[in-house]
Structure formats: structure tokens, C-alpha cells
């Protein structure tokens, strides 16, 4: 799925932004926190630029029917907010709920498979309110991958992860299809992990792109 912006303007961007989300790994960082948040919202298709044009597969977003827009949104993976669920909900039930919310064919089966992929079997019956930061982060990463997204958006994904979880995350990123896109938003890039393909440094007045 190709997502492009042409002369887009919104919160945090004083000047128009034109760019395309490329296949591979894109790292976003920079001092402009508001602009960074806006870019993630544009690429997650959760916000349309105030000015300018958002394209998806060469089609103007505004010209798509609501049904088609929903179709494209289902191809985007992102971490849900754990605080939207009661603390007494158990890990397996939370994943099944998110799988149903994102219209996976068999929510319970999908949740079970994802728990195995991310090593969550041992905490399947734990309540959300008892999870450590690392366990919570691993759960949210697992949730973000439930529908095998074509565009996977990760905000501060390394935060709280132990060595095993970092390896699982790296492996999952490397298993993305060649035409898939991963967007990582973080202050710094861990030197011990895979390399990025494109780096967008979002400053107060522009986006500076560096490609490898």
C-alpha cells in the first residue's frame, strides 16, 4: 500500500510537506513533537491534512467511499491504548477483543497464534493491571500485529523490552513482506538492531529525509 502526501499542512507543520511512505523501515525522530504526532496520524490514515492532499494507492483519500477508506485502514497496524480496557481483563481476552474489533476472521484463534508468536503464553491469564512495563509493551506490540498489517506503525517500540522481546520485534519486522512498510517513531535508533532504510528528522520548520 502506497501512502503519499502532497503539500500537506497540519498541526506542527508551518510549511507544506510532500513525501511518500516507502517500503522498508522508516525511522521518524526530531524536536518537533507535534509535527511528529501529525505525521504518524497522516500515515495511519486517522487524520486528513488540513491543507494539501493525502493519496492512498494513487487515489485521493477524500474521493474514496467510506467503505474503501475502512478497507485501507484495516491494513494499518498500530499499538492500541491499554488504558481503554479495564485493569481486570486478562491478556488473552484483551487480545481476542482487539482481534474482534479489527474484524479478524476468528478472533480467539488469531489471539492464540499471536500470543505464541510473541511469547505471551505464560501471562495469558494475567490481568492487565498486574503487567510490568515490558510485559505491557510486548502485549501492545502483539496487538498491533494482529491483522498482519501492510503498514506497521510503532511508537517507541523498544521502551521496556528485554533482550528476548527485542529479538522477537526485530524478527517480526524482518518478516514483513518486501512491499510492506514499518514506521518507527523514537528519539534514537538502537545500534544493536536492524538498520533503517529511511530517516525523517522532523524539525520546527521542515522534514529532512536521509535514505540508505
Amino acid at each position: 500500500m502506497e501512502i503519499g502526501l502532497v503539500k500537506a499542512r497540519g498541526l506542527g507543520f508551518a510549511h507544506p510537506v510532500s513525501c511518500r511512505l516507502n517500503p522498508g523501515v522508516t525511522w521518524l525522530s526530531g524536536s518537533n513533537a507535534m509535527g511528529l504526532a501529525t505525521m504518524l496520524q497522516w500515515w495511519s490514515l486517522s487524520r486528513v491534512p488540513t491543507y494539501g492532499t493525502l493519496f492512498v494507492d494513487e487515489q485521493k483519500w477524500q474521493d474514496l467511499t467510506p467503505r474503501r477508506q475502512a478497507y485501507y485502514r484495516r491494513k494499518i497496524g498500530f499499538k492500541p491504548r491499554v488504558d481503554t480496557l479495564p485493569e481486570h481483563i486478562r491478556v488473552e481476552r484483551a487480545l481476542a477483543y482487539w482481534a474482534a474489533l479489527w474484524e479478524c476472521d476468528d478472533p480467539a484463534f488469531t489471539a492464540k497464534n499471536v500470543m505464541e508468536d510473541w511469547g505471551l503464553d505464560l501471562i495469558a491469564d494475567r490481568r492487565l493491571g498486574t503487567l510490568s512495563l515490558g510485559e505491557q509493551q510486548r502485549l501492545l506490540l502483539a496487538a498491533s500485529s494482529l491483522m498482519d498489517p501492510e503498514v506497521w506503525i510503532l511508537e517507541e517500540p523498544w521502551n521496556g523490552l528485554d533482550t528476548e522481546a527485542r529479538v522477537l520485534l526485530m524478527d517480526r519486522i524482518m518478516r514483513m513482506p518486501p512491499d510492506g512498510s514499518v514506521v518507527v517513531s523514537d528519539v534514537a535508533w538502537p545500534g544493536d538492531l536492524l538498520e533503517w532504510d529511511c530517516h525523517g528528522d522532523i524539525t520546527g520548520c521542515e522534514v529532512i529525509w536521509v535514505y540508505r
Side-chain angles (χ1 to χ4, degrees):
M1 180 169 59
E2 295 183 356
I3 301 176
L5 297 164
V6 176
K7 296 182 179 179
R9 293 182 65 178
L11 291 174
F13 289 106
H15 302 287
V17 175
S18 296
C19 60
R20 182 180 298 275
L21 178 58
N22 295 319
V25 180
T26 296
W27 169 33
L28 294 180
S29 64
S31 58
N32 184 351
M34 187 175 294
L36 188 59
T38 297
M39 181 69 76
L40 290 176
Q41 290 170 342
W42 286 341
W43 278 349
S44 66
L45 306 180
S46 61
R47 174 175 295 206
V48 178
T50 306
Y51 301 100
T53 308
L54 171 67
F55 287 93
V56 180
D57 286 344
E58 307 299 334
Q59 303 174 83
K60 285 186 179 180
W61 181 253
Q62 294 92 329
D63 294 343
L64 297 174
T65 64
R67 185 184 184 90
R68 197 64 179 168
Q69 290 179 356
Y71 167 78
Y72 280 121
R73 284 197 178 103
R74 288 198 65 249
K75 296 183 173 219
I76 309 287
F78 54 88
K79 293 193 302 181
R81 287 180 50 185
V82 74
D83 59 2
T84 59
L85 296 180
E87 292 187 349
H88 68 271
I89 297 294
R90 301 184 190 277
V91 167
E92 186 171 10
R93 292 292 299 275
L95 281 170
Y97 167 79
W98 283 318
L101 191 65
W102 289 326
E103 299 181 358
C104 294
D105 292 335
D106 187 334
F109 180 76
T110 301
K112 181 178 176 58
N113 283 343
V114 166
M115 280 196 302
E116 292 177 358
D117 287 344
W118 289 88
L120 294 170
D121 305 74
L122 295 178
I123 63 170
D125 291 328
R126 291 267 303 278
R127 301 181 188 276
L128 298 184
T130 68
L131 300 181
S132 67
L133 173 62
E135 291 168 338
Q136 186 179 109
Q137 181 77 317
R138 192 187 292 215
L139 168 63
L140 296 180
L141 287 169
S144 71
S145 67
L146 278 165
M147 73 288 285
D148 290 325
E150 293 185 17
V151 177
W152 197 20
I153 296 178
L154 303 171
E155 294 187 64
E156 300 183 348
W158 326 114
N159 187 27
L161 294 186
D162 58 18
T163 302
E164 179 188 3
R166 289 163 73 92
V167 171
L168 288 172
L169 174 57
M170 181 172 65
D171 177 69
R172 182 64 177 79
I173 292 175
M174 293 179 68
R175 287 192 286 114
M176 286 286 288
D179 57 346
S181 301
V182 180
V183 180
V184 177
S185 171
D186 217 325
V187 175
W189 191 268
D192 62 328
L193 297 179
L194 76 168
E195 294 185 347
W196 43 266
D197 300 294
C198 173
H199 177 207
D201 183 17
I202 302 179
T203 68
C205 58
E206 62 180 336
V207 184
I208 302 172
W209 296 101
V210 177
Y211 300 91
R212 277 184 173 160

